Amino acid sequence: MRGASTTIALPRGLEATFAKPQTLLLLAVLGGSLVLGLTVRVWELGSTNLWADEILTEYRAEAPLLESLDNIIHTIDQTPFYFLMLRVFPVNNELLLRLPSALLGVAGILAVIIVVNQLWRDRYLALWAGVWLALNPYHIWLSRTARAYALIFLLSLLMSFYFLMLCRDPSRKRWLGFTIISMVAYVTHYSLLAIPFTQLLFLVLHWRKDLIQRWSLAQVVAVLPMFLWGVLVLLNLSPREPQWGAPPALDDLGLTFWNLTAGYDGGLYWYTLPGLTVAIVGVFLALYHQPNGLSLGYWGLLFFVPVILVFGMSIAFVDVYVDRYFMALLPGLVIMIAAGWSQASRSAQNLAMCGVVLTGAVTFVNTLEHNTNQREDWESATRFVEQHYAAQDFLVVDRKVTHTAFERYFDSADSLAVWQLSETEAPAPECEGTCRYWVIYRHPYEDIHRLGAMPEFDPLEANPVSVTAIWLQERRPYVEEYRVFAGLAVVLVTIPPIV
C-alpha cells in the first residue's frame, strides 16, 4: 500500500534510533560494525602464547577460590571482580580464556552506539562512534587480552551515561542503576576511580548543588565493597619490587594520544596517519564547536584531566603511567572525537570514517602478518630449554609468575629444580660439581605504550634494572650461551666447581 511504512522490531534503546524505513542503510552499517568488531577481536584469538598477566588471569580463574583471592590480595594492584566473573566460563585454553574479553569488547561497541544516540539523538553520529570503536587498534588489542580492559571500557561508559542522565532527570531508578554499576566498577579495576573524580569536578564546575549531596551518598554506598577489599590488601601488605622503568616525559603524552586513537607499536607508519589525523581534527572540532555542551562539559574532562594528573603523579611520586590503564578514559576520547566530527559536513564525516576504517583494518592485518601481537613467546623458550637441559640443571626465575608461565608451556615429563630470586624466602639450592643454570629472563623494560611485542633487548646488558639482571651480571663470566625470543630470553650459566 502506497505511503505505508515498515516497522522494524529492535531491542529497547535502539527502537527510537532505527524505527523508520529510510534507516535500512544505517541498520546495515550497525550490523556491519558489530560483525567487523567481532571478527577482528576473535580472529586467531588463541594463536599466541599467554603473557605473564594473562598467566595470572588463568591461575585466578582456575585455582581454588581461597587461593585465587589470596593471590589477588598479595598482588596489591588488582581487584577481584573480573577474575571471579571468569570462574563461570570455560577457560582451559588461550582462546576460551580470552573470549569473554573479546565479547565484552563487542558489547562496548553496541553500548557506544546506544549511549551516543540517547545523548545526542543523532543516529548517524551514533554509528560513526560505533565504527570508530570497532576498528580502534587500542581497543581491539586490549579486547583480545585476557584481562579486564574491555570490561573497564564498558563500565566507564555506563557510569558516565547514567551520570549524565541523572543530570537531566535524577529518577530513583537511575540512581539505583548508577550506584550498582559504580559498585561493580570499583571492584573491577583501580583505574575506574578516575570516573567519580571527573564527575565531582563536573558537578563543582557547573555548581549542581542539587546533585552533589545525593551523588556523594551514592558514592559512599558504591565504594563499600572496594573499601573492604582495600582493608584486606593493607592487612596482607608485603613489599614488592618496582615493575616499571623511568617516569614518563612530555612526548609520552603525545604517544599516548597516538596509541589510544590509531595504535602505536614503536614507529610511525603510513597507515596510522589517517586515523591519527581524524582523531586530532575531531578533538579540535569538539573544542571549537562544543556540540551540545557535552564535549568539554564531561567527555573532555573524562579524558584530559585524569591523563594529566596521572602524568604529574608519575613524575613526582609513583610511576603508574601505562597506556593500557587509560582504557577507563577511552569513552571520553571516542565520544568527543565523534561529537567533533558531527559539526562537519556529511561528506567530510564519510571521508573521516573511511580514514578510520583504513587505519584500523591495515593495522590489524599488518600486526597479525608480522606476529607483533605476540608479547611473550614461551613455547619457543621452553622448547629451547627442553632440547638442551641435562639432569641436575637448575631453572632460575625472578618471581612465581615466571615459573608458572614456564611450567605451562614446558612439555617435558622431566622437571627442573627452581631457584626463585624474589617473592620467596627459600634459600639458594645447593649444587655439587659443575652447576648449570637456565635463567628465564623476562623483558626488563616495560614499554608504557606498546600493547604487543616489546622492543628487542640484550640480556647481558650491564644495566641492572631487575633482580634477574643483577644475578646475571654477578655471573657474567660464566655465561655459556643465550637465546632471545619475543619478550624474554633464556641464558645458560655454567659455573665450574670450586677447586
Side-chain angles (χ1 to χ4, degrees):
M1 182 176 177
R2 183 175 296 179
S5 62
T6 303
T7 303
I8 302 171
L10 292 168
R12 187 178 181 183
L14 288 178
E15 187 175 344
T17 312
F18 308 107
K20 298 179 181 180
Q22 61 264 38
T23 63
L24 287 176
L25 179 59
L26 295 179
L27 276 172
V29 176
L30 168 64
S33 64
L34 293 176
V35 170
L36 186 60
L38 176 63
T39 301
V40 296
R41 284 162 177 78
V42 301
W43 189 269
E44 296 188 2
L45 187 59
S47 62
T48 57
N49 294 170
L50 302 177
W51 66 291
D53 282 9
E54 293 179 302
I55 292 289
L56 284 175
T57 297
E58 183 179 53
Y59 172 77
R60 292 163 182 171
E62 294 184 330
L65 179 59
L66 292 181
E67 288 185 22
S68 176
L69 289 173
D70 182 71
N71 179 270
I72 302 169
I73 288 172
H74 284 89
T75 307
I76 301 175
D77 59 354
Q78 301 292 320
T79 48
F81 181 79
Y82 171 74
F83 306 107
L84 296 178
M85 180 192 74
L86 285 185
R87 298 180 71 86
V88 304
F89 297 99
V91 293
N92 56 344
N93 60 47
E94 286 87 348
L95 172 62
L96 293 177
L97 185 68
R98 292 166 175 157
L99 187 58
S101 287
L103 297 178
L104 285 168
V106 178
I109 299 169
L110 181 60
V112 160
I113 294 172
I114 296 174
V115 165
V116 171
N117 179 69
Q118 289 294 316
L119 294 176
W120 269 271
R121 296 296 177 184
D122 184 336
R123 55 197 176 186
Y124 189 85
L125 172 60
L127 288 176
W128 202 107
V131 172
W132 198 94
L133 184 65
L135 285 167
N136 179 287
Y138 174 83
H139 191 267
I140 290 172
W141 293 114
L142 286 180
S143 297
R144 292 171 59 92
T145 301
R147 298 295 281 181
Y149 300 112
L151 178 59
I152 290 170
F153 177 91
L154 185 59
L155 290 171
S156 173
L157 179 67
L158 293 177
M159 287 174 67
S160 298
F161 172 68
Y162 266 90
F163 172 75
L164 291 173
M165 295 305 288
L166 284 171
C167 290
R168 295 180 178 183
D169 179 20
S171 66
R172 181 175 299 179
K173 183 183 295 186
R174 285 175 177 169
W175 278 115
L176 179 62
F178 173 74
T179 304
I180 292 174
I181 291 172
S182 299
M183 185 180 296
V184 173
Y186 300 153
V187 290
T188 297
H189 201 269
Y190 291 115
S191 63
L192 284 160
L193 293 172
I195 312 302
F197 174 83
T198 302
Q199 292 170 354
L200 179 59
L201 182 60
F202 178 85
L203 292 174
V204 170
L205 289 175
H206 289 78
W207 193 234
R208 292 296 304 268
K209 188 177 180 180
D210 58 317
L211 289 178
I212 291 178
Q213 185 175 358
R214 297 176 68 182
W215 177 88
S216 300
L217 179 60
Q219 292 301 315
V220 169
V221 175
V223 83
L224 280 176
M226 180 62 193
F227 175 78
L228 295 175
W229 178 259
V231 171
L232 288 175
V233 170
L234 290 175
L235 290 175
N236 293 274
L237 194 62
S238 57
R240 294 182 62 198
E241 324 176 346
Q243 300 295 314
W244 314 122
L250 279 176
D251 60 339
D252 286 307
L253 290 172
L255 292 177
T256 292
F257 181 85
W258 177 354
N259 195 15
L260 269 63
T261 55
Y264 173 81
D265 62 358
L268 178 61
Y269 304 104
W270 69 265
Y271 49 80
T272 64
L273 293 177
L276 189 59
T277 302
V278 169
I280 294 172
V281 174
V283 169
F284 276 107
L285 287 172
L287 297 178
Y288 181 76
H289 291 287
Q290 301 182 36
N292 206 26
L294 288 174
S295 62
L296 278 181
Y298 180 79
W299 302 109
L301 289 176
L302 177 60
F303 178 74
F304 288 111
V305 173
V307 167
I308 293 172
L309 286 177
V310 170
F311 178 82
M313 184 175 67
S314 297
I315 291 176
F317 303 106
V318 179
D319 183 13
V320 291
Y321 192 101
V322 181
D323 280 1
R324 61 180 181 269
Y325 294 163
F326 293 133
M327 179 62 93
L329 314 181
L330 186 62
L333 189 58
V334 170
I335 293 178
M336 184 169 59
I337 291 171
W341 276 102
S342 70
Q343 305 304 300
S345 65
R346 184 57 55 88
S347 59
Q349 292 181 60
N350 291 335
L351 182 62
M353 188 178 292
C354 289
V356 167
V357 171
L358 175 66
T359 290
V362 176
T363 298
F364 177 75
V365 172
N366 186 71
T367 300
L368 285 186
E369 183 179 352
H370 293 90
N371 201 33
T372 53
N373 57 319
Q374 173 90 297
R375 193 173 179 93
E376 293 177 347
D377 187 2
W378 289 102
E379 286 185 342
S380 298
T382 55
R383 187 163 55 247
F384 175 71
V385 176
E386 287 167 10
Q387 293 170 351
H388 298 88
Y389 79 90
Q392 308 303 319
D393 285 359
F394 292 92
L395 184 72
V396 179
V397 298
D398 55 349
R399 51 198 181 111
K400 178 63 177 176
V401 65
T402 305
H403 181 203
T404 303
F406 187 89
E407 279 194 328
R408 187 189 191 281
Y409 291 98
F410 190 63
D411 293 329
S412 175
D414 298 320
S415 60
L416 296 173
V418 179
W419 184 355
Q420 186 173 321
L421 301 177
S422 66
E423 301 179 347
T424 180
E425 297 179 356
E430 296 182 0
C431 178
E432 297 180 359
T434 299
C435 301
R436 285 171 31 114
Y437 301 97
W438 294 95
V439 184
I440 311 303
Y441 189 5
R442 292 184 59 229
H443 202 301
Y445 302 104
E446 172 73 10
D447 189 311
I448 61 178
H449 303 294
R450 298 196 194 191
L451 305 177
M454 295 287 100
E456 295 182 0
F457 75 103
D458 180 359
L460 301 183
E461 180 184 4
N463 183 19
V465 296
S466 69
V467 64
T468 307
I470 295 172
W471 193 93
L472 276 174
Q473 286 304 311
E474 292 173 348
R475 296 159 179 80
R476 175 72 180 269
Y478 304 110
V479 172
E480 185 172 328
E481 64 174 316
Y482 68 88
R483 295 286 179 87
V484 179
F485 308 96
L488 65 152
V490 177
V491 184
L492 175 59
V493 177
T494 303
I495 301 179
I498 299 175
V499 179

